Amino acid sequence: MTKTREHVKENGWEQKVTVARKQLFIADEIALKVRDTCAGVFAATLNEIVELQAFSIAVQQKLPVHIVLFLQQDETLDRAADFRRLAQRIADKIQQQLIFINLTVEFVNRYTLSTDAQWRVA
């Protein structure tokens, strides 16, 4: 997006062209999904839905919520040190948006996934 904005500015098209992201940034999308899930759990608490009672208690008591996300790009980017920097930036943005939850965010890919994980990438 930065290059596109620069191109628009270099050509003097700022008044005619608006550069915007078509999709949500991944951090915003994840934060939105987690926030909506918490809202659903809260609504379930108010409506005394027994199936979700354990989750309701966890949210009310601010028990830790651990989110593990699998982020796969191309092989070069997945192996690079840039993966950890990108993953940390996204995780920080998610945590900033969900400050009301006792939250940790972890990103893995096929190179950083623990061999003890109960699932694998084919």
mmCIF file of all heavy atoms in Angstrom, residues 68-101:
data_model
loop_
_atom_site.group_PDB
_atom_site.id
_atom_site.type_symbol
_atom_site.label_atom_id
_atom_site.label_comp_id
_atom_site.label_asym_id
_atom_site.label_seq_id
_atom_site.Cartn_x
_atom_site.Cartn_y
_atom_site.Cartn_z
ATOM 1 N N VAL A 68 -3.279 -19.282 19.319
ATOM 2 C CA VAL A 68 -2.178 -19.750 18.486
ATOM 3 C C VAL A 68 -2.640 -19.655 17.043
ATOM 4 O O VAL A 68 -3.662 -20.227 16.670
ATOM 5 C CB VAL A 68 -1.779 -21.206 18.818
ATOM 6 C CG1 VAL A 68 -0.637 -21.660 17.926
ATOM 7 C CG2 VAL A 68 -1.403 -21.335 20.284
ATOM 8 N N LEU A 69 -1.883 -18.908 16.250
ATOM 9 C CA LEU A 69 -2.241 -18.686 14.847
ATOM 10 C C LEU A 69 -1.157 -19.239 13.942
ATOM 11 O O LEU A 69 0.036 -19.046 14.200
ATOM 12 C CB LEU A 69 -2.411 -17.190 14.596
ATOM 13 C CG LEU A 69 -3.489 -16.525 15.437
ATOM 14 C CD1 LEU A 69 -3.288 -15.032 15.483
ATOM 15 C CD2 LEU A 69 -4.849 -16.874 14.892
ATOM 16 N N PHE A 70 -1.573 -19.927 12.912
ATOM 17 C CA PHE A 70 -0.645 -20.480 11.934
ATOM 18 C C PHE A 70 -0.553 -19.497 10.782
ATOM 19 O O PHE A 70 -1.533 -19.251 10.087
ATOM 20 C CB PHE A 70 -1.130 -21.850 11.447
ATOM 21 C CG PHE A 70 -0.111 -22.573 10.625
ATOM 22 C CD1 PHE A 70 0.849 -23.357 11.240
ATOM 23 C CD2 PHE A 70 -0.106 -22.468 9.250
ATOM 24 C CE1 PHE A 70 1.800 -24.023 10.491
ATOM 25 C CE2 PHE A 70 0.834 -23.127 8.490
ATOM 26 C CZ PHE A 70 1.797 -23.911 9.104
ATOM 27 N N LEU A 71 0.613 -18.897 10.597
ATOM 28 C CA LEU A 71 0.833 -17.911 9.543
ATOM 29 C C LEU A 71 1.833 -18.477 8.557
ATOM 30 O O LEU A 71 2.985 -18.710 8.887
ATOM 31 C CB LEU A 71 1.362 -16.613 10.141
ATOM 32 C CG LEU A 71 1.705 -15.490 9.161
ATOM 33 C CD1 LEU A 71 0.450 -15.025 8.421
ATOM 34 C CD2 LEU A 71 2.357 -14.326 9.883
ATOM 35 N N GLN A 72 1.371 -18.700 7.345
ATOM 36 C CA GLN A 72 2.259 -19.250 6.325
ATOM 37 C C GLN A 72 2.307 -18.286 5.154
ATOM 38 O O GLN A 72 1.283 -17.874 4.623
ATOM 39 C CB GLN A 72 1.778 -20.617 5.854
ATOM 40 C CG GLN A 72 2.720 -21.255 4.860
ATOM 41 C CD GLN A 72 2.354 -22.693 4.577
ATOM 42 O OE1 GLN A 72 1.745 -23.361 5.395
ATOM 43 N NE2 GLN A 72 2.729 -23.165 3.417
ATOM 44 N N GLN A 73 3.512 -17.932 4.766
ATOM 45 C CA GLN A 73 3.731 -17.058 3.617
ATOM 46 C C GLN A 73 4.423 -17.898 2.550
ATOM 47 O O GLN A 73 3.985 -19.003 2.284
ATOM 48 C CB GLN A 73 4.572 -15.858 4.047
ATOM 49 C CG GLN A 73 3.924 -15.092 5.205
ATOM 50 C CD GLN A 73 4.838 -14.078 5.805
ATOM 51 O OE1 GLN A 73 4.776 -12.935 5.423
ATOM 52 N NE2 GLN A 73 5.689 -14.486 6.721
ATOM 53 N N ASP A 74 5.498 -17.406 1.979
ATOM 54 C CA ASP A 74 6.270 -18.273 1.097
ATOM 55 C C ASP A 74 7.480 -18.782 1.866
ATOM 56 O O ASP A 74 7.791 -18.317 2.954
ATOM 57 C CB ASP A 74 6.657 -17.572 -0.208
ATOM 58 C CG ASP A 74 7.590 -16.393 0.005
ATOM 59 O OD1 ASP A 74 8.441 -16.449 0.907
ATOM 60 O OD2 ASP A 74 7.467 -15.417 -0.744
ATOM 61 N N GLU A 75 8.160 -19.759 1.308
ATOM 62 C CA GLU A 75 9.234 -20.444 2.037
ATOM 63 C C GLU A 75 10.327 -19.486 2.495
ATOM 64 O O GLU A 75 10.807 -19.572 3.628
ATOM 65 C CB GLU A 75 9.842 -21.543 1.160
ATOM 66 C CG GLU A 75 10.809 -22.420 1.918
ATOM 67 C CD GLU A 75 11.225 -23.635 1.120
ATOM 68 O OE1 GLU A 75 10.518 -24.030 0.189
ATOM 69 O OE2 GLU A 75 12.279 -24.188 1.456
ATOM 70 N N THR A 76 10.708 -18.550 1.654
ATOM 71 C CA THR A 76 11.771 -17.604 2.012
ATOM 72 C C THR A 76 11.356 -16.748 3.202
ATOM 73 O O THR A 76 12.124 -16.576 4.149
ATOM 74 C CB THR A 76 12.100 -16.696 0.812
ATOM 75 O OG1 THR A 76 12.426 -17.522 -0.303
ATOM 76 C CG2 THR A 76 13.267 -15.787 1.125
ATOM 77 N N LEU A 77 10.142 -16.206 3.173
ATOM 78 C CA LEU A 77 9.679 -15.353 4.268
ATOM 79 C C LEU A 77 9.422 -16.143 5.544
ATOM 80 O O LEU A 77 9.620 -15.623 6.644
ATOM 81 C CB LEU A 77 8.406 -14.616 3.853
ATOM 82 C CG LEU A 77 8.579 -13.568 2.758
ATOM 83 C CD1 LEU A 77 7.229 -13.033 2.322
ATOM 84 C CD2 LEU A 77 9.492 -12.450 3.218
ATOM 85 N N ASP A 78 8.983 -17.398 5.413
ATOM 86 C CA ASP A 78 8.724 -18.212 6.602
ATOM 87 C C ASP A 78 10.010 -18.547 7.346
ATOM 88 O O ASP A 78 10.014 -18.666 8.560
ATOM 89 C CB ASP A 78 8.007 -19.505 6.227
ATOM 90 C CG ASP A 78 6.513 -19.304 6.055
ATOM 91 O OD1 ASP A 78 6.024 -18.214 6.386
ATOM 92 O OD2 ASP A 78 5.846 -20.236 5.590
ATOM 93 N N ARG A 79 11.105 -18.710 6.640
ATOM 94 C CA ARG A 79 12.371 -19.055 7.282
ATOM 95 C C ARG A 79 13.109 -17.825 7.821
ATOM 96 O O ARG A 79 13.934 -17.934 8.696
ATOM 97 C CB ARG A 79 13.297 -19.773 6.289
ATOM 98 C CG ARG A 79 12.871 -21.163 5.967
ATOM 99 C CD ARG A 79 13.913 -21.816 5.067
ATOM 100 N NE ARG A 79 13.504 -23.123 4.621
ATOM 101 C CZ ARG A 79 13.846 -24.255 5.217
ATOM 102 N NH1 ARG A 79 14.600 -24.238 6.270
ATOM 103 N NH2 ARG A 79 13.419 -25.405 4.743
ATOM 104 N N ALA A 80 12.804 -16.683 7.300
ATOM 105 C CA ALA A 80 13.557 -15.473 7.620
ATOM 106 C C ALA A 80 13.275 -14.976 9.028
ATOM 107 O O ALA A 80 12.230 -15.258 9.622
ATOM 108 C CB ALA A 80 13.201 -14.376 6.608
ATOM 109 N N ALA A 81 14.226 -14.199 9.534
ATOM 110 C CA ALA A 81 14.047 -13.568 10.838
ATOM 111 C C ALA A 81 12.883 -12.572 10.777
ATOM 112 O O ALA A 81 12.291 -12.246 11.797
ATOM 113 C CB ALA A 81 15.330 -12.851 11.248
ATOM 114 N N ASP A 82 12.562 -12.125 9.570
ATOM 115 C CA ASP A 82 11.441 -11.201 9.397
ATOM 116 C C ASP A 82 10.127 -11.815 9.854
ATOM 117 O O ASP A 82 9.209 -11.103 10.244
ATOM 118 C CB ASP A 82 11.304 -10.776 7.933
ATOM 119 C CG ASP A 82 12.460 -9.884 7.493
ATOM 120 O OD1 ASP A 82 13.103 -9.279 8.370
ATOM 121 O OD2 ASP A 82 12.706 -9.809 6.281
ATOM 122 N N PHE A 83 10.016 -13.157 9.802
ATOM 123 C CA PHE A 83 8.778 -13.811 10.235
ATOM 124 C C PHE A 83 8.490 -13.469 11.688
ATOM 125 O O PHE A 83 7.378 -13.101 12.033
ATOM 126 C CB PHE A 83 8.862 -15.336 10.069
ATOM 127 C CG PHE A 83 7.688 -16.053 10.678
ATOM 128 C CD1 PHE A 83 6.488 -16.137 9.996
ATOM 129 C CD2 PHE A 83 7.769 -16.610 11.942
ATOM 130 C CE1 PHE A 83 5.386 -16.769 10.550
ATOM 131 C CE2 PHE A 83 6.677 -17.244 12.522
ATOM 132 C CZ PHE A 83 5.487 -17.330 11.813
ATOM 133 N N ARG A 84 9.492 -13.581 12.536
ATOM 134 C CA ARG A 84 9.294 -13.304 13.962
ATOM 135 C C ARG A 84 8.922 -11.835 14.196
ATOM 136 O O ARG A 84 8.081 -11.530 15.026
ATOM 137 C CB ARG A 84 10.537 -13.670 14.758
ATOM 138 C CG ARG A 84 10.801 -15.169 14.746
ATOM 139 C CD ARG A 84 11.723 -15.569 15.870
ATOM 140 N NE ARG A 84 12.209 -16.918 15.723
ATOM 141 C CZ ARG A 84 11.500 -18.011 15.952
ATOM 142 N NH1 ARG A 84 10.258 -17.913 16.304
ATOM 143 N NH2 ARG A 84 12.032 -19.213 15.799
ATOM 144 N N ARG A 85 9.569 -10.924 13.460
ATOM 145 C CA ARG A 85 9.234 -9.505 13.592
ATOM 146 C C ARG A 85 7.805 -9.232 13.148
ATOM 147 O O ARG A 85 7.051 -8.536 13.828
ATOM 148 C CB ARG A 85 10.212 -8.645 12.784
ATOM 149 C CG ARG A 85 11.413 -8.186 13.567
ATOM 150 C CD ARG A 85 12.138 -7.054 12.850
ATOM 151 N NE ARG A 85 12.590 -7.431 11.517
ATOM 152 C CZ ARG A 85 13.751 -8.030 11.260
ATOM 153 N NH1 ARG A 85 14.568 -8.329 12.242
ATOM 154 N NH2 ARG A 85 14.090 -8.334 10.035
ATOM 155 N N LEU A 86 7.418 -9.779 11.995
ATOM 156 C CA LEU A 86 6.059 -9.592 11.494
ATOM 157 C C LEU A 86 5.043 -10.192 12.456
ATOM 158 O O LEU A 86 4.044 -9.561 12.806
ATOM 159 C CB LEU A 86 5.899 -10.233 10.117
ATOM 160 C CG LEU A 86 4.476 -10.256 9.553
ATOM 161 C CD1 LEU A 86 3.963 -8.844 9.318
ATOM 162 C CD2 LEU A 86 4.422 -11.084 8.285
ATOM 163 N N ALA A 87 5.321 -11.409 12.917
ATOM 164 C CA ALA A 87 4.418 -12.080 13.844
ATOM 165 C C ALA A 87 4.261 -11.275 15.129
ATOM 166 O O ALA A 87 3.152 -11.122 15.646
ATOM 167 C CB ALA A 87 4.926 -13.483 14.150
ATOM 168 N N GLN A 88 5.345 -10.730 15.644
ATOM 169 C CA GLN A 88 5.281 -9.946 16.878
ATOM 170 C C GLN A 88 4.499 -8.658 16.671
ATOM 171 O O GLN A 88 3.716 -8.255 17.528
ATOM 172 C CB GLN A 88 6.692 -9.631 17.396
ATOM 173 C CG GLN A 88 6.690 -9.009 18.778
ATOM 174 C CD GLN A 88 6.023 -9.906 19.816
ATOM 175 O OE1 GLN A 88 6.399 -11.055 19.978
ATOM 176 N NE2 GLN A 88 5.031 -9.382 20.508
ATOM 177 N N ARG A 89 4.679 -8.004 15.519
ATOM 178 C CA ARG A 89 3.920 -6.782 15.232
ATOM 179 C C ARG A 89 2.428 -7.061 15.172
ATOM 180 O O ARG A 89 1.617 -6.311 15.727
ATOM 181 C CB ARG A 89 4.390 -6.168 13.903
ATOM 182 C CG ARG A 89 5.635 -5.351 14.037
ATOM 183 C CD ARG A 89 6.013 -4.544 12.808
ATOM 184 N NE ARG A 89 4.989 -4.357 11.823
ATOM 185 C CZ ARG A 89 5.108 -4.674 10.526
ATOM 186 N NH1 ARG A 89 6.218 -5.209 10.071
ATOM 187 N NH2 ARG A 89 4.129 -4.450 9.686
ATOM 188 N N ILE A 90 2.053 -8.150 14.517
ATOM 189 C CA ILE A 90 0.635 -8.504 14.413
ATOM 190 C C ILE A 90 0.089 -8.863 15.794
ATOM 191 O O ILE A 90 -0.998 -8.435 16.179
ATOM 192 C CB ILE A 90 0.423 -9.654 13.409
ATOM 193 C CG1 ILE A 90 0.821 -9.211 11.996
ATOM 194 C CG2 ILE A 90 -1.026 -10.134 13.426
ATOM 195 C CD1 ILE A 90 0.863 -10.343 10.995
ATOM 196 N N ALA A 91 0.845 -9.662 16.551
ATOM 197 C CA ALA A 91 0.412 -10.057 17.898
ATOM 198 C C ALA A 91 0.230 -8.828 18.791
ATOM 199 O O ALA A 91 -0.753 -8.734 19.527
ATOM 200 C CB ALA A 91 1.425 -11.020 18.509
ATOM 201 N N ASP A 92 1.158 -7.883 18.724
ATOM 202 C CA ASP A 92 1.046 -6.660 19.528
ATOM 203 C C ASP A 92 -0.219 -5.884 19.176
ATOM 204 O O ASP A 92 -0.923 -5.391 20.059
ATOM 205 C CB ASP A 92 2.272 -5.765 19.341
ATOM 206 C CG ASP A 92 3.531 -6.329 19.976
ATOM 207 O OD1 ASP A 92 3.421 -7.273 20.790
ATOM 208 O OD2 ASP A 92 4.631 -5.828 19.645
ATOM 209 N N LYS A 93 -0.508 -5.783 17.891
ATOM 210 C CA LYS A 93 -1.704 -5.045 17.457
ATOM 211 C C LYS A 93 -2.974 -5.741 17.947
ATOM 212 O O LYS A 93 -3.915 -5.085 18.392
ATOM 213 C CB LYS A 93 -1.716 -4.901 15.939
ATOM 214 C CG LYS A 93 -2.859 -4.054 15.426
ATOM 215 C CD LYS A 93 -2.522 -3.436 14.106
ATOM 216 C CE LYS A 93 -3.668 -2.663 13.513
ATOM 217 N NZ LYS A 93 -4.019 -1.463 14.215
ATOM 218 N N ILE A 94 -2.999 -7.057 17.903
ATOM 219 C CA ILE A 94 -4.159 -7.808 18.402
ATOM 220 C C ILE A 94 -4.323 -7.568 19.902
ATOM 221 O O ILE A 94 -5.422 -7.292 20.386
ATOM 222 C CB ILE A 94 -4.015 -9.314 18.099
ATOM 223 C CG1 ILE A 94 -4.092 -9.570 16.600
ATOM 224 C CG2 ILE A 94 -5.083 -10.128 18.834
ATOM 225 C CD1 ILE A 94 -3.665 -10.969 16.187
ATOM 226 N N GLN A 95 -3.229 -7.664 20.642
ATOM 227 C CA GLN A 95 -3.297 -7.471 22.093
ATOM 228 C C GLN A 95 -3.717 -6.049 22.454
ATOM 229 O O GLN A 95 -4.455 -5.855 23.427
ATOM 230 C CB GLN A 95 -1.953 -7.828 22.730
ATOM 231 C CG GLN A 95 -1.698 -9.320 22.717
ATOM 232 C CD GLN A 95 -0.323 -9.689 23.226
ATOM 233 O OE1 GLN A 95 0.662 -9.030 22.924
ATOM 234 N NE2 GLN A 95 -0.270 -10.763 24.004
ATOM 235 N N GLN A 96 -3.291 -5.055 21.686
ATOM 236 C CA GLN A 96 -3.701 -3.674 21.945
ATOM 237 C C GLN A 96 -5.212 -3.517 21.784
ATOM 238 O O GLN A 96 -5.849 -2.812 22.561
ATOM 239 C CB GLN A 96 -2.984 -2.718 20.992
ATOM 240 C CG GLN A 96 -1.526 -2.535 21.301
ATOM 241 C CD GLN A 96 -0.796 -1.793 20.193
ATOM 242 O OE1 GLN A 96 -1.381 -1.398 19.193
ATOM 243 N NE2 GLN A 96 0.508 -1.615 20.372
ATOM 244 N N GLN A 97 -5.770 -4.179 20.791
ATOM 245 C CA GLN A 97 -7.204 -4.056 20.541
ATOM 246 C C GLN A 97 -8.041 -4.847 21.541
ATOM 247 O O GLN A 97 -9.206 -4.539 21.751
ATOM 248 C CB GLN A 97 -7.537 -4.523 19.122
ATOM 249 C CG GLN A 97 -6.981 -3.601 18.059
ATOM 250 C CD GLN A 97 -7.413 -4.015 16.684
ATOM 251 O OE1 GLN A 97 -8.580 -4.286 16.450
ATOM 252 N NE2 GLN A 97 -6.462 -4.073 15.762
ATOM 253 N N LEU A 98 -7.443 -5.874 22.127
ATOM 254 C CA LEU A 98 -8.183 -6.751 23.042
ATOM 255 C C LEU A 98 -7.636 -6.642 24.458
ATOM 256 O O LEU A 98 -7.532 -7.625 25.183
ATOM 257 C CB LEU A 98 -8.115 -8.199 22.538
ATOM 258 C CG LEU A 98 -8.722 -8.422 21.162
ATOM 259 C CD1 LEU A 98 -8.448 -9.845 20.684
ATOM 260 C CD2 LEU A 98 -10.210 -8.137 21.161
ATOM 261 N N ILE A 99 -7.327 -5.441 24.873
ATOM 262 C CA ILE A 99 -6.730 -5.180 26.184
ATOM 263 C C ILE A 99 -7.624 -5.653 27.325
ATOM 264 O O ILE A 99 -7.152 -5.963 28.412
ATOM 265 C CB ILE A 99 -6.368 -3.679 26.321
ATOM 266 C CG1 ILE A 99 -5.445 -3.436 27.498
ATOM 267 C CG2 ILE A 99 -7.601 -2.817 26.415
ATOM 268 C CD1 ILE A 99 -4.018 -3.735 27.201
ATOM 269 N N PHE A 100 -8.917 -5.753 27.069
ATOM 270 C CA PHE A 100 -9.872 -6.154 28.104
ATOM 271 C C PHE A 100 -9.842 -7.658 28.372
ATOM 272 O O PHE A 100 -10.513 -8.132 29.288
ATOM 273 C CB PHE A 100 -11.296 -5.717 27.722
ATOM 274 C CG PHE A 100 -11.813 -6.363 26.468
ATOM 275 C CD1 PHE A 100 -12.576 -7.513 26.533
ATOM 276 C CD2 PHE A 100 -11.526 -5.825 25.230
ATOM 277 C CE1 PHE A 100 -13.050 -8.115 25.381
ATOM 278 C CE2 PHE A 100 -11.996 -6.413 24.067
ATOM 279 C CZ PHE A 100 -12.763 -7.555 24.146
ATOM 280 N N ILE A 101 -9.058 -8.412 27.615
ATOM 281 C CA ILE A 101 -8.952 -9.867 27.789
ATOM 282 C C ILE A 101 -7.541 -10.187 28.270
ATOM 283 O O ILE A 101 -6.576 -9.581 27.823
ATOM 284 C CB ILE A 101 -9.205 -10.606 26.457
ATOM 285 C CG1 ILE A 101 -10.575 -10.266 25.896
ATOM 286 C CG2 ILE A 101 -9.076 -12.117 26.632
ATOM 287 C CD1 ILE A 101 -10.805 -10.814 24.495
#
